[in-house]
Amino acid sequence: MTNQILPVEHGIKYVETMANVVARSGLFGVKDPTQAMALMLLCQAEGLHPMAACRQYHVIQGRASMTSQTMMSRFLQMGGKQEIHSLSDETADITLTHPAGGSARIQWTIEMAKKAGLAGKDNWKSHPRSMLLRRAQAEAVRAVAPFILEGLPTEDEAVEIEETHPLTKVKPDINVDKLPSLTEPVIEMVEVALDSTWDKEIKARIAKEAKRLGGRVGADAIAHVPSAKSFEFQEYIVGLLPEADFAKFTA
């Protein structure tokens, strides 16, 4: 089965709803809806359904990472080939080849893992063969097809980075909760010319009505109101005006 690129039409509010559901469910290891939403938008930018983020990306202590399975799946789907020369609890020796980046033979041994301080970790103790293979694959993919990871660590690497170099949380300069909504509709406004000779009471009532309808009256005696409300606004004005002014306004 392949990840076919399809047009995605999910709006920001729809993605936000999915992110909240995923975070509340506790599935896929995502607990923060903001992080879930960021990953979903990343997937959407790649032409994938936002929920693909839950399967293909993980957040490790604030760091986005790609699963090793996703990395290799994309590599093979994009024309890459893998040859395994040796695979055991002691050694993973592989060659990855890609039309865009050539070929690289990478070997990872348990001795290399010990020197890197990895071999004593639970995953390495329980699944040394799998962990050696993942390390070799990640290094080889970066060598011949760096566009697969695009600078992201694999999930295993992100865990190890966090253990040795914990991410310092920085308070953002901008309160995103106070930013205007990205989904606010654009309202088309129309201008309605008023008569500057009308008395203050009529002007005040007209200005109040314009504000109620979502518009305003400028100092130049021009009212700006939503086009959908312009007819209602003009009807209101007509109802206020004396007969002489009504004839002038409607002329």
Side-chain angles (χ1 to χ4, degrees):
M1 184 173 68
T2 62
N3 286 333
Q4 184 180 4
I5 303 299
L6 298 172
V8 180
E9 300 177 356
H10 303 300
I12 193 81
K13 290 296 183 184
Y14 185 79
V15 176
E16 183 179 7
T17 299
M18 286 191 289
N20 277 288
V21 170
V22 168
R24 289 173 184 172
S25 72
L27 296 174
F28 312 109
V30 179
K31 298 179 181 179
D32 186 325
T34 303
Q35 293 176 349
M37 188 170 181
L39 291 180
M40 287 178 171
L41 292 174
L42 173 62
C43 275
Q44 182 154 268
E46 294 178 352
L48 301 172
H49 190 283
M51 281 300 293
C54 301
R55 293 184 292 105
Q56 299 185 9
Y57 297 95
H58 285 182
V59 175
I60 309 297
Q61 294 297 316
R63 288 185 173 90
S65 63
M66 184 182 293
T67 67
S68 297
Q69 292 88 341
T70 297
M71 175 192 71
M72 286 305 298
S73 176
R74 291 188 180 185
F75 175 77
L76 296 173
Q77 288 173 23
M78 296 175 72
K81 294 182 180 180
Q82 174 179 242
E83 183 180 358
I84 298 177
H85 307 291
S86 174
L87 182 58
S88 69
D89 288 350
E90 300 296 324
T91 304
D93 185 4
I94 65 171
T95 295
L96 295 191
T97 305
H98 195 280
S103 179
R105 182 169 181 171
I106 302 295
Q107 184 181 73
W108 258 78
T109 66
I110 200 67
E111 291 302 318
M112 294 170 63
K114 289 178 180 177
K115 288 182 180 180
L118 303 174
K121 302 180 185 302
D122 289 343
N123 279 348
W124 284 84
K125 288 180 179 179
S126 303
H127 311 286
R129 180 172 55 184
S130 176
M131 298 304 291
L132 287 170
L133 178 60
R134 290 183 185 184
R135 273 290 177 157
Q137 287 173 332
E139 187 173 333
V141 165
R142 286 195 176 88
V144 301
F147 45 83
I148 301 292
L149 285 165
E150 294 185 333
L152 289 178
T154 63
E155 182 184 3
D156 302 313
E157 292 170 333
V159 171
E160 292 152 12
I161 292 170
E162 174 58 25
E163 290 174 348
T164 54
H165 302 286
L167 187 66
T168 302
K169 293 185 177 180
V170 179
K171 186 178 180 180
D173 296 329
I174 299 174
N175 185 344
V176 294
D177 294 330
K178 294 185 178 180
L179 292 177
S181 171
L182 297 176
T183 56
E184 282 295 322
V186 177
I187 300 174
E188 183 181 355
M189 307 292 282
V190 298
E191 295 183 353
V192 178
L194 307 178
D195 192 324
S196 59
T197 64
W198 291 339
D199 63 45
K200 290 183 179 179
E201 182 183 353
I202 289 178
K203 289 179 181 177
R205 292 175 69 179
I206 290 174
K208 184 177 180 180
E209 179 66 7
K211 184 177 180 180
R212 185 187 73 81
L213 296 174
R216 63 181 178 81
V217 175
D220 54 358
I222 300 293
H224 303 264
V225 294
S227 58
K229 301 287 185 178
S230 62
F231 183 74
E232 179 182 345
F233 180 64
Q234 293 183 63
E235 277 195 324
Y236 176 83
I237 295 175
V238 168
L240 287 180
L241 299 180
E243 187 174 340
D245 288 335
F246 167 76
K248 187 190 305 181
F249 179 68
T250 57

